[in-house]
Amino acid sequence: MKKLLAMLLVLTMTLSLVACGTQTADQPKEPETTGSESTAPSEEPSSSNTVDVGIVLPTKDEPRWIQDETRFKDALRSTDYSVEVLFSQGDSAKEKQNVEALIAKGMKVLIICAHDGAAAAAAAEAAKAEGVTVIAYDRLINGTEAVDYYVTFDSIAVGEAMGQYLADRAEGKGNPLYLYAGAASDNNAFLFFEGAWNVLQPKIADGTFVIKNSSEAVALQNKATLTRDEMAKIIGQVTTNWDFNEAKNKAEAHLTAAKKADKGDVFILAPNDGTARSIADTFAADPDVTSYVITGQDAEKASVQYIIDGKQSMTVFKDVRTLVNDAINMAVTILKGETPETTGAYNNGVIDVKAKQTDVIVVDKTNVKSALIDSGYYPASEFTGLN
Ligand code: BGC
């Protein structure tokens, strides 16, 4: 028994050292609600040690990716491979430098969440050329053969859940609908929009909703299925670029342009939590908006508080623990020379990338406590007003 305990102690110490040896050792500051203003510097690769698994995340300026970093740190406690996490700070050149720095350290598996799905092809190709196995994490890398696997949530289902939430709450005809989307450089923005359109389009066609902020969407409103180019036209008009300020500015411009009759009880498709909070604040400040239903995704802490406070209607909870575990398990399987399990495939314009997909859960005021607190995802102490 004593021997076992001693072994466990040594193992724990080794693992903590491995964890401390990563770039993630410092607990990053959680950005404010409008965290895009944060100027947190991107991290420089550490000068020492070698790396088995390199993880490259898009930015520290959004709580979503800080969440992933934290969950990676938690998951890494159960592996003794060396891991380093680097952030690209919304810059594809920095992203490629990060990948090159990890290659120089002998990285064998790369887990990468692209800032820009097309631009990241060069980074993936650089890794592949050195025999690294490339796992696209959450966001697909497009237009290259250099992606081996894709670990993702079911992003069409995310969009469908958002659309369904709005549709279920709209009564009668002529409900004002405001559409917002993610960054066109992110393949997910198309999948989310496609999912939402699947549900909303029939409700637009039958008059339940009337689109108020996109002439491109109005022009296409009778088409049940949109091509990527058609979606690009709409997204081009209502993109937030995943940026809280851009979301706020767009919402302000739309409300300024809209007549009183286009407001009242409104429905808003917001593509994620960060942008939902800025858009919700903007709509809440307009005296002609009587009520609003607004979507989101990521279950960011600030949005969980908004949901408790009745300022954001819902979020699509994507359990980052599952995604992180899937990615780590996949990396470890590859390091052992085995073939990881996949559940389907996503086409990236050049190849079908084998994918492991995870389901999502709709969270609103009615289940926020059971889904996010009682499940152990967040401690209750992080929030006020929970019943
Ligand atoms: C992710 C979302 C995130 C968004 C902005 C998407 O690719 O799937 O969870 O909110 O990027 O960072």
Side-chain angles (χ1 to χ4, degrees):
M1 187 63 183
K2 264 191 186 159
K3 207 170 159 196
L4 185 67
L5 281 175
M7 274 168 65
L8 275 176
L9 189 67
V10 171
L11 187 69
T12 315
M13 282 167 68
T14 316
L15 290 179
S16 350
L17 280 177
V18 169
C20 291
T22 69
Q23 277 304 109
T24 64
D26 294 342
Q27 190 59 43
K29 191 170 141 275
E30 174 105 8
E32 304 293 319
T33 303
T34 50
S36 63
E37 287 154 14
S38 158
T39 52
S42 58
E43 299 191 13
E44 296 305 323
S46 67
S47 50
S48 58
N49 64 12
T50 57
V51 169
D52 295 317
V53 182
I55 300 172
V56 177
L57 297 175
T59 179
K60 279 198 157 191
D61 290 346
E62 292 174 37
R64 160 71 215 265
W65 306 114
I66 303 278
Q67 237 192 84
D68 292 63
E69 183 199 32
T70 309
R71 304 295 182 184
F72 265 117
K73 281 199 233 171
D74 293 345
L76 288 172
R77 297 202 177 98
S78 62
T79 169
D80 52 5
Y81 288 106
S82 58
V83 180
E84 184 163 332
V85 183
L86 295 175
F87 282 88
S88 313
Q89 290 310 104
D91 176 352
S92 297
K94 171 86 188 158
E95 178 174 77
K96 185 147 183 280
Q97 281 165 22
N98 284 340
V99 170
E100 281 159 358
L102 294 165
I103 293 171
K105 290 182 175 187
M107 162 176 67
K108 296 176 192 72
V109 179
L110 169 65
I111 298 174
I112 177 169
C113 183
H115 160 60
D116 175 316
E125 281 158 13
K128 198 79 196 133
E130 296 300 324
V132 174
T133 303
V134 177
I135 302 175
Y137 178 80
D138 194 285
R139 296 178 177 171
L140 188 56
I141 299 176
N142 287 326
T144 179
E145 289 180 9
V147 197
D148 296 286
Y149 297 101
Y150 181 31
V151 178
T152 183
F153 292 103
D154 182 346
S155 296
I156 302 234
V158 171
E160 284 175 345
M162 291 174 172
Q164 197 60 54
Y165 197 88
L166 298 179
D168 287 347
R169 278 148 193 87
E171 282 174 13
K173 303 281 175 196
N175 295 284
L177 176 66
Y178 291 80
L179 302 171
Y180 295 92
S185 57
D186 177 2
N187 190 59
N188 285 348
F190 287 82
L191 301 176
F192 301 145
F193 194 83
E194 182 181 336
W197 192 258
N198 286 346
V199 180
L200 292 176
Q201 189 276 335
K203 294 285 180 185
I204 296 164
D206 77 6
T208 305
F209 290 119
V210 181
I211 302 166
K212 296 294 179 186
N213 67 332
S214 168
S215 54
E216 296 287 2
V218 170
L220 291 160
Q221 68 186 8
N222 291 320
K223 277 202 79 180
T225 310
L226 302 178
T227 64
R228 194 166 170 109
D229 284 349
E230 287 167 340
M231 277 192 277
K233 283 187 185 166
I234 303 174
I235 294 174
Q237 216 169 33
V238 298
T239 183
T240 58
N241 261 322
W242 295 133
D243 181 303
F244 315 109
N245 288 320
E246 192 161 336
K248 178 172 181 278
N249 294 340
K250 270 213 170 130
E252 275 171 4
H254 293 151
L255 287 171
T256 305
K259 296 187 199 74
K260 192 171 176 175
D262 296 330
K263 300 180 188 176
D265 297 318
V266 306
F267 293 79
I268 311 163
L269 177 75
N272 75 347
D273 282 351
T275 57
R277 294 194 299 277
S278 333
I279 297 169
D281 288 348
T282 309
F283 274 75
D286 188 313
D288 295 330
V289 172
T290 328
S291 75
Y292 62 85
V293 180
I294 188 165
T295 62
Q297 69 167 304
D298 294 336
E300 287 180 3
K301 278 184 202 162
S303 279
V304 174
Q305 188 62 57
Y306 261 47
I307 290 172
I308 297 167
D309 296 341
K311 286 157 58 174
Q312 182 177 324
S313 316
M314 62 87 87
T315 187
V316 181
F317 172 38
K318 310 200 302 191
D319 192 331
V320 171
R321 293 170 303 188
T322 311
L323 201 66
V324 161
N325 280 332
D326 282 350
I328 294 284
N329 288 340
M330 198 177 254
V332 168
T333 308
I334 293 161
L335 287 166
K336 285 186 187 155
E338 294 162 14
T339 306
E341 203 186 292
T342 48
T343 54
Y346 279 72
N347 190 277
N348 77 345
V350 176
I351 53 164
D352 285 331
V353 183
K354 282 185 230 124
K356 174 96 176 46
Q357 188 169 268
T358 289
D359 292 339
V360 296
I361 298 169
V362 171
V363 171
D364 68 3
K365 218 170 182 166
T366 60
N367 65 343
V368 64
K369 191 166 171 294
S370 60
L372 297 174
I373 314 296
D374 301 345
S375 69
Y377 198 71
Y378 289 133
S381 56
E382 300 275 350
F383 307 101
T384 55
L386 261 180
N387 297 314

